[in-house]
Amino acid sequence: MDFPRTYNAARDFVDRNIDEGRADKVAFIDPDRTLTYGELLSASCQMANLLTALGIPREARVAMIMLDTVDFPITFWGAIRAGIVPVPLNTLLNGAQYEYMLRDARAQVLVISAALLPTVEDVLGDIECLEHVIVSGADDGGPHIPFQRELAQHETTFTPIETLADEVAFWLYSSGSTGNPKGVQHVHTSPMNTARTYAREVLAMDESDVVYSAAKLFFAYGLGNAMTFTMAVGATATLLPGRPTPQSVFAMLKAHQPTLFFGVPTLYAAILADPNCSPQNGSARLRHCISAGEALPEEVAQAWKAKFGVEILDGIGSTELLHIFLSNRPNEVRHGTTGKAVPGYDLKLVDEDGAELGDDEIGELVVHGDTAANGYWNQRAKSRATFEGTWTRTGDKYFRDTDGFYHYCGRTDDMFKVSGIWVSPFEVESALVAHEAVLEAAVVAKEDDEGLLKPKAFVVLNQGQEAGDLFESLKEHVKQEVGAWKYPRWIDFVDDLPKTATGKIQRFKLRE
């Protein structure tokens, strides 16, 4: 994919839509406002002028702790327009976590939604690099700068800075499921590359599409779904600032009738378990549903298709590669697999020594593609361990069948052997979820009395189910589904499972 040496992503995503006649086309809808492409251009120029007036230099970082509203794309593209680096942060963290990332990024500006300000207010005065705080969604910013009122003071024109195609455009922080999150640096060309590969080649997105992504904009998956994908083709995104519960998802689907819905496996399972789950409470226009974040259990995929008549296209991406690089495709769905390589990416499986493996052999998935990040900010050893030349290690174990479909086995750190044979936690979890009593499950390794590793399961039951005598029933069910040696020797029935803000199960907490 060729890009000119001088390339600013804001020109391609914002200005081009005006050049192609979409100034009056609605780009974003949140519960309070709509934003056309023309209004986005004007407002992003005002943001670029505001940041420049504050004295923020090129390549400085602007942190964003922002709910999914139209102010998010205004801030993101305004910063990029000015050659400044936006850094969206997870909106579900605590003050100490925000303090770590604001210091780590050396952010000079923080743009924050008013509802989230109390979480971080106590630590702001202690962060020496932070010069300005801009508050979105409030008429009065108090001691801080009010977003809307200040934006209105600035001009609606700003010529994009002549950044380079290989220049860092924005950061995203990894989820931090096993330690402090890492700043992942992406260049200007990566968002359009993901749109050209997955959005166009797999989903065939165009300007007639309306998108709702339950995955939030701070998450690499959600950033593509509800912003860069839609803007790349001139489509419309609907935004929900609040938490995506089954009830709120139904409300969004019914109100906006999207053609594309992006979710995560735990949400799909929760929707199916909800008593109000029916096609009448969804969107009659859905042509594709998409899942990522974790592997999608086969039972959930089949139940969704039976209920709504629409396939879920399961795929996998990462913050390091920005979006999905391996996916099922329309008219080529194989439940229980993650599909095949997305056009533009090469995949291989390797063993512990880096030797490439063949079909039906379990190994770590490594990926070659143009959207790989430049590296982790100030984390040289971890960058070298993940980014090996043009290949990126995913940390995910897979095997590829003879038809070329990839089957997820688990995270490299989660896999273990029983009687000398690899056990995939995901395989055992999928078997448990297939039982009518089970909503969610997580499996980890535990030592028995002889010091040998065996599966232990943590199970969340469906509403109305009681643990009772289920232990024996679930053991036998797993034996029948996936093999006699893989059944869980211990089962804890719990109310919920520990997860990251992006929906991934934190198995390390269960191992602890």
Side-chain angles (χ1 to χ4, degrees), residues 30-34:
D30 72 23
D32 298 319
R33 299 159 58 199
T34 62

Side-chain angles (χ1 to χ4, degrees), residues 52-66:
T52 302
L54 292 175
I56 308 305
R58 280 184 61 170
E59 301 181 20
R61 269 77 65 188
V62 173
M64 299 169 56
I65 307 176
M66 302 186 72

Side-chain angles (χ1 to χ4, degrees), residues 196-348:
R196 289 177 178 175
T197 54
Y198 186 73
R200 289 179 178 169
E201 294 291 328
V202 175
L203 301 181
M205 284 183 66
D206 63 33
E207 63 182 315
S208 68
D209 278 310
V210 176
V211 166
Y212 169 53
S213 172
K216 299 298 186 181
L217 290 169
F218 70 78
F219 182 17
Y221 178 45
L223 187 78
N225 305 340
M227 190 169 72
T228 60
F229 286 2
T230 57
M231 294 180 67
V233 298
T236 299
T238 61
L239 304 175
L240 176 68
R243 184 166 163 259
T245 63
Q247 295 74 29
S248 64
V249 169
F250 286 139
M252 290 292 288
L253 294 176
K254 198 163 187 178
H256 300 290
Q257 295 292 297
T259 56
L260 296 168
F261 170 59
F262 295 82
V264 295
T266 51
L267 180 59
Y268 283 112
I271 290 171
L272 287 166
D274 190 272
N276 294 314
C277 180
S278 71
Q280 292 72 33
N281 286 329
S283 169
R285 299 204 306 150
L286 276 181
R287 61 183 185 87
H288 297 311
C289 295
I290 299 92
S291 180
E294 288 237 288
L296 181 72
E298 183 173 357
E299 290 293 320
V300 174
Q302 291 175 341
W304 187 273
K305 176 66 185 297
K307 175 72 73 170
F308 293 99
V310 180
E311 292 280 14
I312 300 176
L313 305 179
D314 188 27
I316 184 174
S318 69
T319 306
E320 289 76 5
L321 283 149
L322 192 55
H323 213 275
I324 293 172
F325 49 79
L326 168 62
S327 180
N328 283 274
R329 305 185 199 183
N331 304 316
E332 195 180 8
V333 173
R334 184 168 295 185
H335 294 153
T337 80
T338 320
K340 298 180 179 181
V342 170
Y345 295 91
D346 296 314
L347 312 177
K348 62 182 179 181

